[in-house]
Structures are given as structure tokens and as C-alpha cells.
Amino acid sequence: MTLRHVQGNEYREEHGGDYEDFEPGMVIRHWPGRTISETDNTWLTLLTMNQHPLHFDEHYGSGTEYGRTLVNSGITLCLVGGMTVQALSARAVANLGWDRVRLREPVFVGDTLYATSRILHKRLSRSRPGQGIVTVETTGTKSTGETVIVFERSFMVRCREGS
């Protein structure tokens, strides 16, 4: 959280950062984590029209190598990505993309996930003066320490000098 002075003794709470707030090599541990519920898994799976029974049919899941249903990997990406917004991109102009998404371990209902991000690089935008592009690598882990997902994300933020 950042407090920006408004006037006198008034401050405004802000999340995210400007281009100047990010430096390559910085590591941010996002808080809080999130425990995935059966409702989370069922609703998002059906909302996205993913009809694979491994995500919502316990009988089917019990006959697979996992012995139970799996959390839809789209939930893992969305949840871990969402955990990073407050610290990284709450003030972003635009999300530019996700790259190199890798699912490392299965996620099950009841697992608690946490996210950590490392700033990989940043550069000023060539086409949008006063803005810069930040690229981060985010790792999602279970409370047990197992890495479940790793991905890169780039987003555009304002520069303080350009605001």
C-alpha cells in the first residue's frame, strides 16, 4: 500500500505502483493466500464451459490417477494472477499478456495457494510517452511449498514524470 499526499494532513491510499517503483530483481510476496473451495472450482469450470468431468464429477475423478477431482487450471492461473494485482498492477494502464505459463503440480479443493513475483525487467514504452512496461515472473505455491504454476506477465504503468 502506498499513501499519496493530497493536501494538509490528508492522504489517499493507493495500490500498485508507478514505473519508477519497480526494479529488476525485486521479489514481492503477495498476501493473503487463498484456499480453494469446491464452489470456486465448480462455478468457474461451468462458467467457462469446460465440460471435462475431472473438474466436477467426483465418481469420475476417483477412477483417475489422482483419485479425486482436480481444480480447473484456469482457476489456478486466475487466482494466482489476481493475488498480484494489489501490489503490482492495481494502477496499470493495461495488461499486455501472459507468457510461459507452466503448470507444475495438480491443485485440489482445499489447497491453499500463495503467490510470489519477481520483477524481470522494465522499459519505457516506445509508442506511449509517459508510460512503461514491467514484466514479472509469478510463482504460485501450495501452503505445503509445492510449486503449482509459474508464468510471466507484462503490464503497462504510468511514469510519475509523465502523469
Side-chain angles (χ1 to χ4, degrees):
M1 172 188 71
T2 302
L3 295 176
R4 300 266 184 211
H5 184 253
V6 178
Q7 63 183 5
N9 67 345
E10 292 183 32
Y11 291 81
R12 179 179 64 230
E13 179 182 0
E14 293 185 350
H15 299 285
D18 296 320
Y19 180 77
E20 294 83 357
D21 295 320
F22 300 105
E23 291 300 328
M26 286 175 67
V27 174
I28 298 143
R29 295 190 186 284
H30 305 286
W31 186 260
R34 175 77 151 65
T35 302
I36 299 176
S37 72
E38 184 171 352
T39 301
D40 297 329
N41 189 45
T42 301
W43 282 3
L44 189 64
T45 297
L46 296 176
L47 180 66
T48 58
M49 297 182 66
N50 181 332
Q51 298 176 27
H52 197 298
L54 187 55
H55 300 307
F56 55 85
D57 181 331
E58 287 185 34
H59 177 73
Y60 178 89
S62 69
T64 68
E65 65 184 278
Y66 304 106
R68 55 186 164 158
T69 57
L70 285 177
V71 168
N72 181 326
S73 56
I75 294 171
T76 305
L77 176 61
C78 290
L79 186 61
V80 172
M83 289 178 185
T84 72
V85 171
Q86 181 172 299
L88 297 177
S89 59
R91 295 169 41 99
V93 175
N95 241 340
L96 301 177
W98 293 266
D99 294 300
R100 299 187 228 327
V101 178
R102 297 292 177 257
L103 302 165
R104 301 279 172 85
E105 294 291 333
V107 176
F108 304 101
V109 167
D111 284 342
T112 301
L113 302 183
Y114 294 94
T116 303
S117 295
R118 182 171 51 94
I119 309 299
L120 295 177
H121 50 84
K122 68 179 196 175
R123 69 171 177 82
L124 293 172
S125 172
R126 291 185 277 276
S127 62
R128 302 195 58 176
Q131 297 178 359
I133 297 168
V134 178
T135 302
V136 302
E137 177 186 69
T138 297
T139 301
T141 57
K142 291 184 185 183
S143 57
T144 58
E146 296 169 273
T147 297
V148 297
I149 190 169
V150 178
F151 59 89
E152 291 182 14
R153 178 169 71 107
S154 295
F155 53 93
M156 185 173 286
V157 293
R158 291 180 183 86
C159 299
R160 277 194 284 277
E161 290 90 39
S163 9

